[in-house]
Amino acid sequence: MKELLKVTGLNVVFDTPAGRVHANRGINLMVNENETLGLMGESGCGKTVLFLSLLRLQQPGRIVSGSIVFDGRDLTKLTTSEMQQVRGRQIALVPQDHSTALNPAFTVGQQLNEALLVRDNGGGLWKTSLIGCSGRGSQAFQEEVKAVLGELALGDLVDTGRLLGRYPHQLSGGIRQRVLIAMALLGHPRMLIADEPTTALDRASRVQTLEVLNRLCERMTMLIISHDLDAIRTTCERVAVMYGGRIIETGPMLSVFRNPRHPYTRLFLSCQKFSRGDVLPEVTGDVLNLIDFPLGCSFHPRCPRAMPVCSELEPAEVHVDDTMVACHLYATGETTC
Ligand SMILES: Nc1ncnc2c1ncn2[C@@H]1O[C@H](COP(=O)(O)OP(=O)(O)O)[C@@H](O)[C@H]1O
Ligand code: SF4
Ligand SMILES: [Mg+2]
């Protein structure tokens, strides 16, 4: 399998009045062509910042060190105009919040048209509004949009003509989400990034969105952030677990779900399994403060397996069978703990 994306030692910070937020700390991550990787971790651990950084859209955050090699080119070294050729065309992002990601002042047709203008001419909505959305009536536009909406099962669900004339507030969350995916697909990207694609959707829309993502996984490289472990389980071949700005475990999805090695991964996955009447499981302790984090392993104040070394030394990444785990429990060559 060909390696498409390789992130090495990526550090991203935000300078705030309260201090420097270390949102991504030495991220190492690799994604092969046509693979789907799922990224999991509690809120605030740095998932969205990582995905935005891949497109160099992390501002006001700063990439202070590390490399992001995509198809042989280090994206951190590209000029602004070279990056514009990458965004949407090479790597497309379906943003986290479908309720605010679409422009409320423009119809779906205008916004899909914008995606085509950006792809073909580097234009934008300002241009679309000036020219009265001229591309919308064109045969090529109609055919391309129809094909994408068909792939997303929107062609059958709603009349395409009516959908194109609607404003975002006139659509359900599920349809808005799929319009965002359609905009991303119109750029023919090699890699699609979806940030919490099933969050804030009703059950039916969630299932439809999962079906769509499953189909897309068959033909392109995807990165999916999700709290929804069913979404990760049904779409991803490999997973990465993030805690406090670091990737602390990666491996094939089945290995990590069946045999999570890092104590945080174990607790995180156990929180999803409970029955009525059970005491609700939780990862106890406070979410890590990314301004002032502890020495050693940043999970040690919350870790049930913590040892003296854990508060002194940051654990290195260790390879155990087919997974990578950053935990002192495995430093001596143990394969299970
Ligand atoms: N614009 C910003 N200014 C300051 N801090 C930020 C900004 N955006 C994100 N952060 C911080 O970066 C950390 C990671 O955020 P994020 O990547 O959004 O987390 P999540 O894992 O929930 O997607 C959080 O501590 C967050 O407060
Ligand atoms: S390094 Fe120590 S504190 Fe960190 S997860 Fe492993 S056992 Fe727990
Ligand atoms: Mg997020």
Side-chain angles (χ1 to χ4, degrees), residues 14 16 21 23 42-49 60 290:
F14 291 85
T16 71
V21 179
E42 66 191 1
S43 292
C45 71
K47 305 180 295 296
T48 297
V49 168
L290 289 174

Side-chain angles (χ1 to χ4, degrees), residues 55-104:
L55 288 162
R56 301 230 327 252
L57 292 173
Q58 77 291 337
Q59 294 83 359
R62 285 187 299 119
I63 296 175
V64 288
S65 56
S67 62
I68 302 168
V69 177
F70 182 80
D71 198 23
R73 286 196 302 172
D74 186 350
L75 302 186
T76 64
K77 304 262 190 303
L78 298 191
T79 62
T80 308
S81 61
E82 285 170 334
M83 255 334 276
Q84 273 165 359
Q85 301 300 314
V86 172
R87 294 184 192 125
R89 294 173 189 161
Q90 298 288 320
I91 308 175
L93 175 73
V94 180
Q96 184 162 356
D97 189 354
H98 62 74
S99 61
T100 55
L102 289 165
N103 189 325

Side-chain angles (χ1 to χ4, degrees), residues 262-264 297-301 303-307 310 315 326-329:
H262 195 283
Y264 173 71
C297 170
S298 48
F299 188 54
H300 86 258
C303 180
R305 305 289 307 272
M307 309 169 280
C310 301
C327 169
H328 288 304
L329 289 169

